[in-house]
Amino acid sequence: MFTLSNICSERAFTLIRHLGRHPRDTFYVRELSRELGLPLGPVSETLVELAGAGIIRRRERGRIVTYQARESSPLLREMKILITLFECSSLLSDLEAVSSTIILFGSCADGTDTAESEIGLCIRTDDAGVAEECIRAHTPVGGRDVAAMILTDDAFRRLSEREQAVYQQIIAGNVLYQREGGQAGRLKADQFQKPRHSSHVWTDDSYEA
């Protein structure tokens, strides 16, 4: 039986992450064990439990068994969002010091993301340079790029007027952080490590009056 303790295990998270981010692919048990570096027996047991919970599909053809993410599962989508948040925890912790609001948006916010999806973040801040350095220092996150929109409060308001489609996508996302009183803290750019990877960052230059 699949319980809360099962679903919160590191092995279950690893399998959900891999299958959920490759939703069109089917996998053999041995294939998953080899690719993820996990013991065959426990992997097989966890896959059976995940299938029983409706998170993944189990297909049998004679003695051949394959597994695939069940894209229609609300629980799968919520677990994928949770896993993304775990992976972003260090980045978000640093961004909170210089941000008034952080919003996760796009496919990662609704659990339809894949291994190729970028992690969409909208960051409202008066310290765009520091926020950008923070993102570059933490990228990649879980093997994926971060696509960040870094905006002042005024630029965010202009975005709502000029780019309604983008604005609606952002506000439909998940608010991960909102500072009470609206005053962000202060970090310095040199507190972050040298950038290890490229990321896609949009600042409010595109939305100047």
Side-chain angles (χ1 to χ4, degrees):
M1 180 179 177
F2 204 69
T3 64
L4 182 60
S5 60
N6 297 127
I7 204 169
C8 291
S9 72
E10 183 177 354
R11 184 166 57 248
F13 268 39
T14 301
L15 288 166
I16 291 170
R17 177 182 184 271
H18 190 74
L19 272 71
R21 291 183 184 174
H22 300 86
R24 303 300 173 85
D25 298 334
T26 57
F27 297 91
Y28 301 105
V29 179
R30 289 186 181 277
E31 181 182 12
L32 289 168
S33 174
R34 182 178 63 254
E35 289 186 9
L36 301 176
L38 297 173
L40 181 62
V43 165
S44 180
E45 293 173 3
T46 303
L47 288 169
V48 170
E49 292 172 341
L50 291 172
I55 297 174
I56 62 176
R57 299 183 189 279
R58 173 187 169 96
R59 292 188 174 91
E60 298 183 19
R61 293 182 180 178
R63 300 177 66 178
I64 298 175
V65 179
T66 59
Y67 291 91
Q68 183 179 18
R70 185 169 172 260
E71 293 185 84
S72 61
S73 167
L75 185 53
L76 172 66
R77 293 194 296 272
E78 293 300 322
M79 289 299 298
K80 288 174 65 178
I81 296 169
L82 181 60
I83 291 168
T84 295
L85 294 181
F86 272 125
E87 292 175 336
C88 290
S89 59
S90 294
L91 168 61
L92 296 174
S93 179
D94 282 347
L95 283 174
E96 285 178 9
V98 295
S99 306
S100 60
T101 308
I102 304 172
I103 302 173
L104 177 71
F105 70 96
S107 61
C108 288
D110 60 24
T112 60
D113 52 306
T114 69
E116 288 73 39
S117 299
E118 295 177 320
I119 300 171
L121 291 176
C122 178
I123 301 153
R124 295 171 67 173
T125 178
D126 291 327
D127 291 313
V130 176
E132 184 174 348
E133 287 301 317
C134 175
I135 291 167
R136 294 191 188 282
H138 284 278
T139 303
V141 176
R144 301 191 291 184
D145 288 338
V146 174
M149 298 191 70
I150 302 175
L151 306 171
T152 63
D153 288 343
D154 286 342
F156 189 75
R157 282 190 288 271
R158 290 195 295 273
L159 179 69
S160 69
E161 298 167 357
R162 302 179 184 181
E163 299 286 349
Q164 267 293 317
V166 176
Y167 177 76
Q168 290 298 328
Q169 185 181 32
I170 290 172
I171 64 172
N174 300 328
V175 178
L176 306 181
Y177 175 76
Q178 191 154 26
R179 181 178 295 274
E180 293 184 8
Q183 293 298 317
R186 289 292 182 269
L187 287 179
K188 296 181 180 179
D190 59 9
Q191 288 183 238
F192 303 108
Q193 299 176 2
K194 184 178 180 181
R196 301 188 302 270
H197 195 82
S198 63
S199 57
H200 297 162
V201 177
W202 290 268
T203 61
D204 59 358
D205 294 345
S206 302
Y207 305 101
E208 292 293 343

